[in-house]
Amino acid sequence: MSLTIALVLFSLCNFSLATNEAYALLRWKTSLDKQSQSSLSSWVGTNPCNGWIGIGCSNSTKNRESVVTSIRLSNSSLKGTLDDLDTWSLTNLESLNLSSNSLSGIIPQTIGTLTSVKLLDLSSNQLTGLIPSSIGNLTNLHYLYLDNNTLSGSIPFELGRARDLIDLKISKNLLTGTIPFSFKNFSRIGRIDVNDNNIFGSIPDYFANYTHLEWLDLGRNNFSGVIPTELGKRTAFVQFKLFMNNLIGPIPKDMNLTKMEVFAVSENMLYGHLPHNICASGRLTQVCACNNRFSGPIPKSLKNCSSLFRVRLQKNQLTGNISDDFGIYQELDFMNLSYNKLYGEVSSNWGFCPKLTSLHMSNNNLSGRISGELGRATRLSELYLSSNHLVGEIPKSFERLSSLMKLYLDDNALSGTIPSELGSLYNLEVLNLAKNSFTGPIEERLGECLKLRSLDLSMNRFEGVIPVHISVLDKLEFLNLSVNNLIGRLPPQLGDLKTLETMNISHNNFTGSIPSRFIEMLSLTVVDVSFNQLEGPLPKMRAFEEAPMEALRNNKRLCGNNTGLDCPTEVTNQDKESKIVKVMLVILLPSLGCMVLLFVIILGIFFYLHKKKPNDGKRPEEIESNLFTIWSYDGKMAYENIIDALDDFDSKHIVGVGGYGTVYKAELLSKVYAVKKFHAPEDEKMHDLKSFEAEIRALTAIRHQNIVKLYGFCLHPRHSFLVYEFLVGGSLRMVLSDMKQAIDFDWKKRLMVVKGIANALSYMHHDCSQPIIHRDLSSSNVLLDSDWVAHVSDFGTARVLKDDSSNWTSFAGTIGYVAPELAYTMEVSEKCDVYSFGVLTLEVIMGKHPGDMLTSSLDMKGTSLIEILDQRLPSPVEEVAEQLELLVEVAFACLKISPHSRPSMREVTLGLSL
Ligand SMILES: *[C@@H]1O[C@H](CO)[C@@H](O)[C@H](O)[C@H]1NC(C)=O
Ligand SMILES: *[C@@H]1O[C@H](CO)[C@@H](O)[C@H](O)[C@H]1NC(C)=O
Ligand SMILES: *[C@@H]1O[C@H](CO)[C@@H](O)[C@H](O)[C@H]1NC(C)=O
Ligand SMILES: *[C@@H]1O[C@H](CO)[C@@H](O)[C@H](O)[C@H]1NC(C)=O
Ligand SMILES: *[C@@H]1O[C@H](CO)[C@@H](O)[C@H](O)[C@H]1NC(C)=O
Ligand SMILES: *[C@@H]1O[C@H](CO)[C@@H](O)[C@H](O)[C@H]1NC(C)=O
Ligand SMILES: *[C@@H]1O[C@H](CO)[C@@H](O)[C@H](O)[C@H]1NC(C)=O
């Protein structure tokens, strides 16, 4: 309305240039969404040069009138399209910057009328469609930035008409085709950045004629053929990035390297030598040439290249003596030389690189001792020296490497004992000393490396017994002590290794029986105890009972169903009752540790509780005696303590309200717990209480790093609740919906969380004697701890807690996560969880529930990563992006309509660990 009035007013007035421009700008403003309009509230009246935000003017040379020459509205939260931008009226515009907004739709052909434009920046929006061919009419264009959109099609030939182009950035789009021949016309071009598109063909020869080209980024495309021999002879590049293409052949000889800062040609099929004077500029920070077929020596000029920050030369055929080839670098962060043919020593130089965090030199021909000076590199977090010919001892000075997380020294000729100083490496997660000649006992102080996940001491000459100290490593997943000279009995305390998945103690001289406490290793799946002197019964757990013959053979007298020997029966009484007991043992014992029949039993109870009428004569006082608790100490006391700690469930202790329960935070005996209270069953009679108790007890015994620990359970007529481990990080849903937390929750952490969830599901589906189905997986019941590790909550309890009792068969899932087959069948299988996992994975990647995407498009395969990534995070780096892509692929497989075509969680975890 006001616009039409304004229009009438304009037509009455003397038509000036400025009012024309004003009209064009106001028309565009009204096409934007409400919020954008309010941020352009200064755009009123008829004179844009009079304080309109983002508008710049200057006096026209012709009639000395003020005209609009620039629009600078970068990062202004504008939402809308460019369709209504009347470019005909803005012919004096020299600069149009609308970058980092939420503009969508296409770039209109009319953009070609902005003939005065020198700078056009539409980067970081959501623009789609083609780059319009009319862009070639912008013959004054110097700077063109269209990067970080979803533009498709090929680069228009007409762009070559903008001969004066200096800077061209069209990276991070979906462009395809080849570089148009018209690019030959550019005479001033300084940067060409087409990174991350799908452009193919060869690198044009005429690029070599660009005398001002300093930045060339063709990375992450599909370029093939050789690098033009003349490229870089006339001009000196500052950044030269050709990584991740299909280029073949050598690096051009005599490249002018006097300005080089970033040289990245990784992941091609390039061969020949690297330029020997690669650091001629003295400003080189990054050299990435990994995964090619380069041979010959390490470039000479790297030795004194003090600017180096990251060097990736792994997986080539480089030769030479690394003790001579490298110097001391003040800025160096990352050095990877693995998988080459390098020789020489791990010299003291590396110890004097104060910022070094990763040093990879595996699979070379290194020899000599590891210099003790390496201990000075106190920021080192990864040291990979595997598969070389190193000798001597592990330097005691390693105790200073307090940041070290991964130490790989396997497959060398190292000797001596494990220095007790390694116990100081409290951040160590992986220690691999396999295939060396270490002797002496297993160092007890390794028990102080509490973050150890993997300990491999196999194929050495370690002697003595397994120190009980190992049993405190409560994060240990992999333990290999095989092929040593270890003796003595196996310490029963090893049963405390609740997270241990693989245990290989084969080829030693262990004696005695395998402690029955080993059944407490709840995660154990792979064992090998072969070639020892062990005897007696196998622990009653799957890992042993289903172990292949090879994993048990060549012992003294191991008995059990796989060893060929029956265990002698202790009870000789042959009457019926003892037979039944035996059968019961066979059935029940293997299920300890896992929840087994929990479902069936919970179902039974629930059915029973809810079908029976509530008022069949009993009074509350009688009900009181049916207090039922499971707790590691006196049940009744725990119940009362919790009621006390929560001031009888006072609302001030509430930390969350879920679909079927309220969560409280309880501080009890100076520990913090989460208490989930749900409606008490109306009936007091506990059907099959004993077995229910047994199974809940088993559930409380589950320890898996990605499953929320259940401490106890109280079923009481007044207050019934579950007591869980309290996790400070809150739920995944909360984190994703909070701007600040979502930003902290970076891609690496997100990958880790998804893997954690997959591990938890895989464990419950496949590593228990009967699969346990979660049934209600959603972002609300994935909780995070302070290290961003995911813990899945409410496993298998969905059914019990659902307080809508009208239809007990109704599925307890959360809308938006429930597999489609549940709409027409009640068949709950693991594959329902797999579906929910797929939804959850997309949610983590997108930062929000995928919503309509799940139902709207059947062929979600075509969805590209770039379209769905959580926009609040910076785009992921190369390796992470690859992993995310894999994840999206897996997620889509999990979302298949037919449950049978979805992968199992085991397949998912195997796929993700690639
Ligand atoms: C335009 O010209 C007017 C007078 O002719 C002068 O006052 C004003 O400062 C000039 N503006 C610019 C941006 O040069
Ligand atoms: C571009 O220029 C050509 C020739 O000058 C003209 O025919 C065409 O209409 C122009 N396109 C646009 C969109 O301005
Ligand atoms: C790409 O654009 C998005 C918004 O569309 C922005 O959040 C992100 O930071 C941009 N990425 C880069 C590398 O500029
Ligand atoms: C580069 O420029 C030279 C001289 O101007 C010319 O002879 C040559 O053909 C050009 N090379 C290419 C590939 O266009
Ligand atoms: C290398 O490039 C720089 C800057 O472009 C130039 O000054 C120098 O002369 C070139 N060197 C050679 C040998 O061409
Ligand atoms: C294993 O120990 C037994 C005695 O405990 C000894 O007789 C035997 O020689 C040892 N075997 C090896 C291979 O060390
Ligand atoms: C070993 O015995 C257990 C329990 O009796 C049984 O479940 C399992 O299938 C047996 N394994 C083999 C390989 O016979």
Side-chain angles (χ1 to χ4, degrees):
M1 277 279 260
S2 62
L3 190 73
T4 43
I5 293 166
L7 188 62
V8 173
L9 282 177
F10 290 157
S11 56
L12 292 176
C13 299
N14 203 359
F15 239 85
S16 73
L17 267 177
T19 48
N20 227 349
E21 287 167 341
Y23 175 61
L25 292 171
L26 289 172
R27 191 163 108 93
W28 183 56
K29 175 184 166 183
T30 48
S31 77
L32 302 175
D33 81 338
K34 281 264 144 44
Q35 207 192 325
S36 316
Q37 292 189 29
S38 63
S39 62
L40 299 178
S41 57
S42 61
W43 288 21
V44 286
T46 55
N47 186 1
C49 302
N50 188 12
W52 287 25
I53 192 170
I55 302 298
C57 296
S58 57
N59 288 344
S60 106
T61 42
K62 267 185 261 164
N63 49 12
R64 302 174 51 96
E65 216 177 330
S66 262
V67 291
V68 174
T69 50
S70 69
I71 300 178
R72 293 200 179 89
L73 289 169
S74 176
N75 224 329
S76 306
S77 318
L78 301 182
K79 197 166 184 184
T81 69
L82 296 172
D83 299 347
D84 288 320
L85 185 63
D86 173 12
T87 51
W88 299 97
S89 304
L90 295 166
T91 45
N92 294 299
L93 205 59
E94 291 175 9
S95 175
L96 175 59
N97 183 349
L98 299 174
S99 62
S100 302
N101 284 299
S102 299
L103 300 175
S104 53
I106 61 162
I107 304 176
Q109 274 289 354
T110 52
I111 202 92
T113 58
L114 295 172
T115 47
S116 305
V117 147
K118 291 198 174 75
L119 178 142
L120 179 58
D121 189 349
L122 301 177
S123 59
S124 298
N125 279 292
Q126 283 117 45
L127 297 168
T128 53
L130 306 176
I131 301 178
S133 57
S134 67
I135 208 147
N137 287 12
L138 306 182
T139 49
N140 289 309
L141 201 57
H142 291 172
Y143 308 97
L144 178 60
Y145 305 119
L146 302 177
D147 48 296
N148 197 12
N149 280 292
T150 39
L151 300 170
S152 53
S154 48
I155 306 171
F157 185 84
E158 290 81 356
L159 183 54
R161 293 179 55 207
R163 289 166 175 271
D164 289 335
L165 205 60
I166 294 171
D167 200 352
L168 174 64
K169 253 185 109 176
I170 49 177
S171 51
K172 245 172 155 286
N173 278 294
L174 305 169
L175 299 169
T176 180
T178 59
I179 300 280
F181 187 64
S182 60
F183 271 31
K184 202 174 179 350
N185 302 336
F186 296 151
S187 55
R188 302 171 64 186
I189 194 88
R191 165 158 65 179
I192 294 181
D193 181 358
V194 301
N195 188 311
D196 201 357
N197 280 292
N198 194 18
I199 301 170
F200 50 84
S202 53
I203 303 176
D205 280 347
Y206 57 80
F207 274 19
N209 273 359
Y210 292 153
T211 46
H212 302 285
L213 191 63
E214 294 198 332
W215 287 55
L216 180 62
D217 191 346
L218 309 180
R220 294 193 191 88
N221 277 290
N222 216 350
F223 287 100
S224 55
V226 299
I227 305 173
T229 50
E230 298 294 316
L231 190 64
K233 270 185 200 169
R234 295 174 60 181
T235 10
F237 284 106
V238 175
Q239 300 219 352
F240 186 74
K241 300 186 184 173
L242 306 179
F243 60 99
M244 292 173 85
N245 279 292
N246 289 311
L247 298 168
I248 195 162
I251 301 287
K253 280 202 171 42
D254 323 315
M255 269 184 84
N256 185 336
L257 294 155
T258 52
K259 290 186 179 172
M260 192 66 79
E261 289 175 11
V262 178
F263 183 86
V265 296
S266 313
E267 301 188 47
N268 282 291
M269 293 167 288
L270 300 170
Y271 52 78
H273 290 196
L274 289 165
H276 67 95
N277 58 340
I278 192 165
C279 188
S281 66
R283 293 207 295 266
L284 189 68
T285 57
Q286 296 193 41
V287 191
C288 304
C290 65
N291 295 67
N292 278 290
R293 298 169 197 162
F294 289 116
S295 57
I298 300 284
K300 277 214 170 50
S301 71
L302 285 187
K303 180 155 184 170
N304 294 318
C305 189
S306 57
S307 51
L308 282 183
F309 177 65
R310 279 182 181 210
V311 179
R312 298 178 197 269
L313 298 176
Q314 72 270 22
K315 300 201 176 163
N316 281 292
Q317 287 148 35
L318 299 171
T319 51
N321 184 340
I322 55 158
S323 0
D324 299 338
D325 291 340
F326 291 97
I328 292 172
Y329 308 98
Q330 294 304 314
E331 301 299 322
L332 190 65
D333 170 63
F334 186 98
M335 172 67 74
N336 194 338
L337 302 170
S338 294
Y339 296 90
N340 276 295
K341 296 175 174 170
L342 301 165
Y343 60 92
E345 296 188 5
V346 183
S347 72
S348 56
N349 285 352
W350 304 110
F352 295 95
C353 301
K355 296 187 183 164
L356 193 60
T357 63
S358 296
L359 181 60
H360 296 232
M361 304 204 282
S362 303
N363 294 75
N364 279 292
N365 291 320
L366 306 186
S367 57
R369 297 169 162 269
I370 302 171
S371 167
E373 304 283 9
L374 206 49
R376 292 168 175 269
T378 51
R379 295 228 196 142
L380 204 58
S381 98
E382 300 181 342
L383 180 59
Y384 286 71
L385 298 174
S386 313
S387 301
N388 281 293
H389 311 292
L390 301 172
V391 297
E393 303 191 359
I394 301 177
K396 294 201 182 350
S397 64
F398 271 24
E399 98 182 290
R400 298 173 56 189
L401 300 177
S402 54
S403 306
L404 201 60
M405 292 164 69
K406 295 180 182 171
L407 179 57
Y408 286 88
L409 300 175
D410 53 299
D411 195 12
N412 278 293
L414 296 166
S415 55
T417 57
I418 303 177
S420 65
E421 285 81 359
L422 288 196
S424 308
L425 302 182
Y426 53 85
N427 277 310
L428 202 60
E429 294 179 5
V430 179
L431 177 60
N432 191 340
L433 304 179
K435 285 199 191 175
N436 278 292
S437 303
F438 289 111
T439 51
I442 296 177
E443 174 54 43
E444 293 175 355
R445 281 196 61 202
L446 287 183
E448 293 171 29
C449 303
L450 286 175
K451 293 190 182 168
L452 265 186
R453 286 186 291 110
S454 172
L455 177 60
D456 193 343
L457 304 178
S458 63
M459 299 204 226
N460 279 290
R461 297 204 293 271
F462 287 114
E463 304 150 357
V465 296
I466 300 182
V468 291
H469 307 73
I470 298 291
S471 62
V472 304
L473 297 174
D474 61 4
K475 300 235 158 69
L476 201 64
E477 292 166 6
F478 180 93
L479 177 65
N480 192 347
L481 303 176
S482 65
V483 198
N484 277 295
N485 299 326
L486 300 169
I487 55 163
R489 291 172 165 268
L490 299 171
Q493 290 90 333
L494 290 186
D496 291 343
L497 298 173
K498 305 288 188 231
T499 56
L500 195 66
E501 292 169 9
T502 302
M503 179 178 74
N504 187 346
I505 55 170
S506 65
H507 295 268
N508 279 291
N509 206 357
F510 292 118
T511 50
S513 61
I514 302 176
S516 59
R517 265 192 69 188
F518 277 20
I519 61 170
E520 291 171 27
M521 294 195 231
L522 297 169
S523 307
L524 198 62
T525 38
V526 180
V527 290
D528 190 345
V529 300
S530 60
F531 293 89
N532 279 294
Q533 312 277 337
L534 297 167
E535 58 195 320
L538 292 177
K540 300 276 191 279
M541 65 192 298
R542 250 170 81 128
F544 282 97
E545 291 187 327
E546 294 189 357
M549 190 66 185
E550 293 74 49
L552 305 174
R553 61 186 285 202
N554 291 67
N555 272 293
K556 212 171 178 181
R557 212 179 303 108
L558 276 181
C559 64
N561 59 350
N562 252 352
T563 58
L565 267 182
D566 283 338
C567 293
T569 41
E570 281 154 33
V571 191
T572 46
N573 190 348
Q574 287 287 314
D575 73 359
K576 267 188 193 168
E577 260 177 41
S578 79
K579 259 189 199 161
I580 292 168
V581 168
K582 265 188 189 154
V583 171
M584 292 284 282
L585 279 178
V586 170
I587 294 169
L588 286 180
L589 281 177
S591 64
L592 264 180
C594 278
M595 212 176 51
V596 203
L597 299 167
L598 178 63
F599 252 160
V600 179
I601 293 157
I602 289 175
L603 283 189
I605 296 162
F606 202 79
F607 181 71
Y608 186 84
L609 291 176
H610 284 269
K611 283 290 146 172
K612 274 210 136 189
K613 285 275 152 252
N615 45 0
D616 57 357
K618 297 248 165 79
R619 300 176 159 272
E621 303 84 73
E622 297 169 72
I623 295 168
E624 199 70 31
S625 62
N626 281 312
L627 166 65
F628 160 56
T629 59
I630 290 175
W631 194 258
S632 41
Y633 51 90
D634 177 57
K636 182 142 187 175
M637 194 185 94
Y639 173 82
E640 276 154 12
N641 288 351
I642 284 172
I643 304 287
D644 272 0
L646 291 177
D647 304 316
D648 205 7
F649 291 99
D650 191 297
S651 57
K652 72 179 178 220
H653 296 288
I654 293 181
V655 289
V657 180
Y660 39 71
T662 310
V663 185
Y664 297 80
K665 179 176 170 182
E667 236 180 294
L668 200 62
L669 303 174
S670 73
K671 275 194 80 175
V672 184
Y673 299 93
V675 176
K676 179 169 272 182
K677 174 168 165 278
F678 53 98
H679 286 253
E682 289 149 331
D683 195 274
E684 74 288 354
K685 270 199 176 174
M686 288 304 295
H687 174 76
D688 209 359
L689 187 67
K690 274 243 150 57
S691 50
F692 185 36
E693 180 178 334
E695 298 311 334
I696 284 278
R697 234 179 245 293
L699 185 57
T700 59
I702 283 180
R703 282 182 185 78
H704 186 283
Q705 63 164 350
N706 299 114
I707 296 175
V708 176
K709 173 126 183 59
L710 177 63
Y711 286 109
F713 180 89
C714 296
L715 193 57
H716 184 281
R718 226 153 55 83
H719 302 299
S720 293
F721 51 83
L722 292 161
V723 184
Y724 284 110
E725 171 184 17
F726 184 80
L727 291 153
V728 292
S731 76
L732 191 54
R733 168 161 302 170
M734 270 166 50
V735 168
L736 287 175
S737 61
D738 178 279
M739 188 65 175
K740 194 183 156 307
Q741 290 195 67
I743 288 170
D744 283 350
F745 188 28
D746 63 27
W747 292 119
K748 285 224 165 110
K749 289 171 188 150
R750 291 186 190 204
L751 281 171
M752 193 176 79
V753 160
V754 173
K755 285 180 188 173
I757 300 168
N759 279 341
L761 288 171
S762 173
Y763 180 82
M764 294 303 250
H765 287 179
H766 303 289
D767 298 332
C768 296
S769 34
Q770 281 197 2
I772 299 167
I773 303 170
H774 189 296
R775 333 179 112 230
D776 186 21
L777 186 65
S778 76
S779 55
S780 315
N781 50 34
V782 173
L783 307 179
L784 301 175
D785 64 17
S786 55
D787 294 330
W788 301 90
V789 174
H791 299 249
V792 180
S793 155
D794 290 341
F795 233 112
T797 52
R799 182 70 81 165
V800 159
L801 296 186
K802 178 92 173 157
D803 68 8
D804 164 26
S805 54
S806 56
N807 177 9
W808 69 276
T809 52
S810 76
F811 183 68
T814 302
I815 307 289
Y817 296 87
V818 177
E821 66 269 23
L822 285 161
Y824 49 85
T825 115
M826 276 298 142
E827 228 171 80
V828 177
S829 76
E830 297 97 299
K831 294 297 174 75
C832 302
D833 281 355
V834 174
Y835 183 90
S836 309
F837 171 77
V839 180
L840 202 49
T841 301
L842 287 183
E843 183 172 352
V844 171
I845 293 175
M846 298 169 67
K848 54 172 196 267
H849 189 277
D852 291 344
M853 212 172 115
L854 298 175
T855 45
S856 63
S857 61
L858 285 178
D859 80 318
M860 292 178 285
K861 269 240 157 71
T863 317
S864 84
L865 187 60
I866 197 165
E867 289 174 46
I868 63 168
L869 287 184
D870 189 345
Q871 299 297 338
R872 294 171 295 188
L873 290 192
S875 54
V877 298
E878 191 176 325
E879 310 102 274
V880 175
E882 269 170 36
Q883 292 192 51
L884 287 172
E885 235 153 61
L886 176 68
L887 215 54
V888 172
E889 214 172 283
V890 169
F892 283 149
C894 295
L895 292 173
K896 292 250 169 73
I897 301 289
S898 153
H900 306 289
S901 359
R902 294 174 205 149
S904 70
M905 284 315 297
R906 169 152 291 154
E907 285 162 343
V908 169
T909 49
L910 286 176
L912 290 184
S913 63
L914 276 180

